[in-house]
Amino acid sequence: MQTQLTCPQCGTPYPAEVHQVVDSKRTPQLKQQLLNGQLNMAVCPQCGAGGQMATLLLFHDADHEMFMIHVPQELNLDQVQREQMIGQLTKQVMDEMPAEERRAYMFQPQIMINWQTFMEKVLETEGVTPEMIARQKKQSELLQTLLQADKDVQDVLLAERVDEIDETFFAMLQQFVDMASQMQDNQQMVKITNLRARLMTETAVGQRMEQQQMAMHKLSREAKEAGGLTTDMLVKHV
């Protein structure tokens, strides 16, 4: 549904799309928006100010029998108001669902106040565990530190925490490249490029990725010269 907002920064009125129900099977596109951090985002078209809107959000995943509702603290609801709104939202979802698909677990939704805990539960349905989330957080912090550190500090960090540098770490590094490119931040781009070059030559995962890239380039060149890709070429390069 749409709601009308007024920008608190510049006073511009504008419409925003609000979703209160995300069902993994019925609305997979909303789940993807949720995972990408794009669900229920409101951005002023005039000044660009905005963020995530505070609203009740029900998440349902039938395969994992997960039926939970995030209740933002920003809504400042008392217990009666909270129970009424949760009851109304639950009833709305149940009424729209075929009777044969209703299950007992839906009558007792999990109530989540903390957004991080809510998202960790959603990520579990994608096979992402809290341990994986914690590792990625440490990797992100390490990447930020490496980009700001001088060579001596980088030497120490790479020696002590080289086990944290894997394919996921390089994927994060690529995201930083993309952001710096979009913002045309040449100074940051130089730092990222230099760090990437060092990691590609000094870490085992970087060396392996570089070899894979070289093999792909060689395969592509041979296929182009031969007028197409053949099975023999694939076998040779694999």
Side-chain angles (χ1 to χ4, degrees), residues 220-238:
S220 177
R221 185 173 63 253
E222 288 187 14
K224 186 176 181 180
E225 292 172 352
L229 186 64
T230 67
T231 304
D232 289 341
M233 287 182 190
L234 282 173
V235 172
K236 172 185 173 183
H237 287 280
V238 168

Side-chain angles (χ1 to χ4, degrees), residues 23 25 30 49 73 93 109 136 141 145 150 156-157 182 205:
D23 188 291
K25 288 188 175 180
L30 294 184
Q73 291 180 322
V93 174
Q136 288 186 12
E141 292 170 350
T145 304
D150 57 29
V156 174
L157 288 172
Q182 290 174 5
V205 65

Side-chain angles (χ1 to χ4, degrees), residues 125-232:
T125 67
E126 294 290 304
V128 180
T129 65
E131 291 75 20
M132 292 167 67
I133 296 171
R135 177 178 171 81
Q136 288 186 12
K137 183 178 180 181
K138 288 180 63 178
Q139 288 177 311
S140 178
E141 292 170 350
L142 174 60
L143 177 52
Q144 295 272 11
T145 304
L146 285 171
L147 286 172
Q148 301 302 322
D150 57 29
K151 186 180 183 303
D152 291 339
V153 175
Q154 285 184 354
D155 290 342
V156 174
L157 288 172
L158 291 177
E160 293 179 348
R161 302 177 62 178
V162 68
D163 61 312
E164 295 176 36
I165 300 175
D166 54 15
E167 287 84 354
T168 300
F169 189 91
F170 275 93
M172 291 181 181
L173 191 57
Q174 184 59 47
Q175 290 177 351
F176 275 63
V177 170
D178 295 340
M179 286 189 292
S181 177
Q182 290 174 5
M183 298 175 65
Q184 297 183 341
D185 188 339
N186 294 330
Q187 185 177 0
Q188 184 73 349
M189 183 66 81
V190 170
K191 289 183 180 179
I192 299 171
T193 303
N194 289 340
L195 176 61
R196 180 182 174 84
R198 182 175 186 185
L199 295 179
M200 290 292 281
T201 57
E202 297 183 19
T203 66
V205 65
Q207 292 168 6
R208 184 170 68 250
M209 290 175 65
E210 189 169 29
Q211 289 173 352
Q212 291 172 346
Q213 290 176 5
M214 290 172 63
M216 288 298 295
H217 287 315
K218 187 175 181 180
L219 174 61
S220 177
R221 185 173 63 253
E222 288 187 14
K224 186 176 181 180
E225 292 172 352
L229 186 64
T230 67
T231 304
D232 289 341

Side-chain angles (χ1 to χ4, degrees), residues 23 25-26 58-69 86-87 89-91 93-111:
D23 188 291
K25 288 188 175 180
R26 289 183 171 80
L58 186 151
F59 176 80
H60 178 219
D61 189 300
D63 292 337
H64 295 82
E65 294 193 350
M66 187 175 291
F67 198 78
M68 60 181 183
I69 300 177
I86 289 172
L89 188 57
T90 302
K91 183 178 184 301
V93 174
M94 298 283 279
D95 288 346
E96 295 174 355
M97 188 178 296
E100 64 273 13
E101 294 185 15
R102 298 171 190 169
R103 299 290 183 270
Y105 69 86
M106 301 176 188
F107 292 93
Q108 292 184 317
Q110 300 177 61
I111 309 304

